[in-house]
Amino acid sequence: MRELKIFLVVVVFTALTYWGVEPYAHSIMKPHVSPANFNFAEEDLSFAKGIVADKEALLAQAQKENNATQVESATKALDVAKENLAKNEALWASVEKIDFAKGDAAKGKAFFEGNCFACHGLKEDGIASNFTDSSAYGVIPPDLSSAALLYDEKFLAALILNPALALKVDHKFGDAFIMTAYNSETSGESEEIVNQNIADVIAYLKEMALKFEEKENARIKQEVEEKYSKVEESAEKTALMEKETIFAKERMLFVESCGRCHDMRYDGFFSPSAKNDLKGYLGSVPPDLSMMIRSRGEQYLNDFVNNTQKLLPGTAMPRVGLNEATQAKVISYIEKVGDSKKEERESLGIYIMIFFVILSIFAILWKRSVWSKLH
């Protein structure tokens, strides 16, 4: 009976550590933030209003303490927060006015060639980029073949109208951000013309994204089939091919979303942008993401990718802005690279627990048998 009590004590303290102490420690180390919200208008306005509320509280505290220096500082911070909120409200109000259903892909192509071609390529339509290295801007401008696959139409529109604000880097770059905003103020065109041009170019990007995805899927299918061409047909082969196909598609999305800045050396991928250029652009070299899932966890990455400023205020890393489906696949890829044994470990865990329970029972019975002969 004594052994059983000891065993129960060990179980209780282990469970307390695993389900109590560890989650509590993580909650202290990780700031409490709202979960990822893929309605970016709602997310940005809620986030901006939260900052205003925080600054108002700081100002009230400074006024209560009658500290003139802190009052002045808090007032300035509140003014900045209110200005940021107003900008976000204006941006997303402008996005809501765009009728994406009226977009014309042919006109969008003409607009792209006249306005976006200077920096961006679109290899799916045979348009090569003018920039093949990162020396000019600190990072290689993205090819936009996959843009509409990665982002939803409203985020793309916000990105065109005010890229620094949409990407949450206006605090660092302001009006000097490397991507030029296209709106009524910067173009001198009417709001109606701007909105139609944006709808047109997004329609074009959607058309190209479909071709890009179809082409990539065909490439991945061919590569996987060639790899397993000499393997005898079986259920195991089919399962392995399906698993590798999913992994390859997720890897492709990672490269398109994160690959201009981040390495994934555990999977043999290295960003084409030069490290010194990236450091000059962002202030530091972006980390290799091979083990990020282990150091930060899935929840942190979900929240961070969705809105970098929520978890790391002031960071120069742009919000990635992925749609929900793409973000899930990108994080799945990061997890598969950084924690490749997760499925095996979790499936094995239950058997190990059963083994220890059985071992404990036999140990208790053996101990009783031995002691019964001595007494």
Side-chain angles (χ1 to χ4, degrees):
M1 191 64 184
R2 181 184 177 188
E3 292 80 8
L4 183 59
K5 289 180 179 179
I6 294 173
F7 175 73
L8 290 175
V9 168
V10 171
V11 169
V12 169
F13 275 96
T14 301
L16 182 63
T17 301
Y18 188 79
W19 283 293
V21 176
E22 187 177 3
Y24 175 73
H26 278 290
S27 71
I28 295 299
M29 291 186 290
K30 176 183 176 295
H32 293 277
V33 298
S34 57
N37 186 350
F38 296 92
N39 180 335
F40 291 106
E42 187 178 279
E43 164 65 23
D44 287 358
L45 296 181
S46 174
F47 182 65
K49 288 175 182 177
I51 294 176
V52 169
D54 290 342
K55 301 306 180 185
E56 287 176 338
L58 289 174
L59 176 58
Q61 181 64 30
Q63 290 172 335
K64 183 178 179 180
E65 295 174 356
N66 198 26
N67 187 317
T69 302
Q70 289 186 2
V71 167
E72 182 181 359
S73 176
T75 300
K76 290 180 179 178
L78 178 58
D79 289 341
V80 171
K82 287 181 176 179
E83 182 182 357
N84 181 262
L85 173 59
K87 287 181 179 179
N88 275 282
E89 288 174 336
L91 172 61
W92 290 108
S94 296
V95 171
E96 287 300 320
K97 294 177 182 178
I98 300 173
D99 189 348
F100 297 101
K102 292 183 178 180
D104 185 316
K107 292 180 179 178
K109 178 178 181 178
F111 181 86
F112 181 92
E113 291 175 335
N115 296 272
C116 313
F117 171 63
C119 298
H120 298 285
L122 214 160
K123 59 187 177 184
E124 203 53 51
D125 205 20
I127 302 174
S129 172
N130 288 316
F131 296 93
T132 56
D133 62 53
S134 54
S135 59
Y137 293 120
V139 64
I140 299 174
D143 182 281
L144 299 184
S145 298
S146 63
L149 176 64
L150 307 178
Y151 315 109
D152 68 30
E153 59 188 17
K154 290 186 177 181
F155 183 76
L156 280 173
L159 191 57
I160 295 169
L161 286 165
N162 191 334
L165 190 62
L167 293 173
K168 299 292 183 190
V169 290
D170 51 308
H171 63 283
K172 177 175 174 62
F173 298 104
D175 295 332
F177 188 54
I178 56 176
M179 179 177 170
T180 304
Y182 172 70
N183 50 52
S184 298
E185 184 179 343
T186 59
S187 67
E189 299 169 338
S190 69
E191 185 180 71
E192 183 180 358
I193 291 175
V194 167
N195 289 350
Q196 186 58 53
N197 284 338
I198 291 175
D200 290 343
V201 78
I202 289 177
Y204 173 56
L205 292 177
K206 286 181 179 179
E207 191 175 277
M208 292 301 103
L210 290 174
K211 292 182 179 180
F212 171 84
E213 186 176 23
E214 183 180 349
K215 184 177 179 180
E216 285 297 301
N217 287 344
R219 175 187 63 80
I220 290 169
K221 181 181 179 182
Q222 181 181 357
E223 289 178 355
V224 173
E225 287 178 347
E226 287 178 356
K227 180 178 179 179
Y228 287 90
S229 60
K230 296 182 180 180
V231 179
E232 186 177 344
E233 293 296 330
S234 65
E236 183 181 5
K237 173 186 174 180
T238 302
L240 285 172
M241 289 179 66
E242 182 178 355
K243 187 175 182 179
E244 287 212 22
T245 298
I246 292 172
F247 179 81
K249 290 179 179 180
E250 291 174 347
R251 185 182 195 272
M252 175 269 293
L253 291 173
F254 170 85
V255 171
E256 293 294 315
S257 305
C258 315
R260 292 183 304 119
C261 297
H262 294 282
D263 295 339
M264 186 64 84
R265 59 189 177 89
Y266 281 19
D267 194 34
F269 175 80
F270 297 92
S271 169
S273 298
K275 297 295 183 285
N276 286 337
D277 293 336
L278 287 169
K279 184 176 181 180
Y281 168 50
L282 296 171
S284 62
V285 177
D288 179 281
L289 299 183
S290 298
M291 293 297 289
M292 192 59 67
I293 195 73
R294 301 293 292 271
S295 63
R296 295 294 187 180
E298 181 183 354
Q299 185 61 51
Y300 183 98
L301 290 180
N302 259 307
D303 296 339
F304 186 69
V305 170
N306 186 253
N307 183 351
T308 52
Q309 297 301 320
K310 280 201 299 192
L311 288 164
L312 203 59
T315 181
M317 177 179 165
R319 160 202 261 163
V320 187
L322 302 175
N323 59 50
E324 188 170 5
T326 300
Q327 179 166 309
K329 292 173 183 177
V330 168
I331 292 177
S332 174
Y333 167 75
I334 294 173
E335 183 174 62
K336 287 173 182 175
V337 173
D339 195 5
S340 59
K341 299 295 183 181
K342 181 182 178 182
E343 290 182 11
E344 182 180 340
R345 184 177 68 250
E346 290 181 346
S347 62
L348 188 62
I350 185 65
Y351 296 108
I352 292 175
M353 294 298 293
I354 292 172
F355 167 77
F356 276 113
V357 169
I358 295 173
L359 179 64
S360 299
I361 293 172
F362 277 107
I364 292 171
L365 293 175
W366 176 76
K367 186 259 184 186
R368 287 183 176 180
S369 175
V370 171
W371 279 90
S372 66
K373 295 175 183 179
L374 297 176
H375 295 282

